[in-house]
Amino acid sequence: MRLLDKLFGRKEAYPPLPAGSEVVDKLDEVKASLEELAHKVSDHLEVVPADHEAFVFLGTPPTHFGIAWIHDGKVTGLKEFAEEHHLSQVEVGKLIVRLGEAYQHASQVPRYSAEFGGKQMVVIPSRGLEQEMHHIMASTTLH
């Protein structure tokens, strides 16, 4: 059956996010934005919760994906981030490569499922991945 799942693109089923955890509290802070994103995007979504924000991988990381950053009550996509920080296509390409590598670094972190806006999402509660993503985003804007 796993072979058929892979052939037809079905993702692995993860256990539900444990209720009452710190991760649930972090996600509750950005719930409205996650629901908005769930309604706008048809791709698979993987959420990395952070303090007062979240990073969301769209698509199939670490190879074919986009990124959304939920912060300050808004959702910033990769295109908006690049425009806001005047990034060239080469810089955006390097950013995507670095974010894909960060995702791979967290490949052994337990993942959970949660539903937002009627859509199942994968939740990656990793302080290390969160910090690496912050570092990548911050260093990209310092060019």
Side-chain angles (χ1 to χ4, degrees), residues 92-106:
V92 170
K94 288 179 182 177
L95 173 64
I96 289 290
V97 167
R98 292 179 67 201
L99 291 170
E101 289 169 350
Y103 180 89
Q104 287 180 306
H105 295 160

Side-chain angles (χ1 to χ4, degrees), residues 2 11-19 21 23-24 27 109-116 120-125:
R2 282 201 181 273
K11 296 289 180 182
E12 186 174 336
Y14 295 105
L17 188 62
S21 69
V23 175
V24 171
L27 290 171
V109 172
R111 283 154 166 74
Y112 301 92
S113 65
E115 186 176 311
F116 295 95
Q120 281 297 124
M121 298 183 190
V122 174
V123 178
I124 309 170

Side-chain angles (χ1 to χ4, degrees), residues 16-34:
L17 188 62
S21 69
E22 177 186 338
V23 175
V24 171
D25 293 340
K26 287 180 179 182
L27 290 171
D28 280 346
E29 284 190 51
V30 295
K31 184 177 181 177
S33 295
L34 280 173

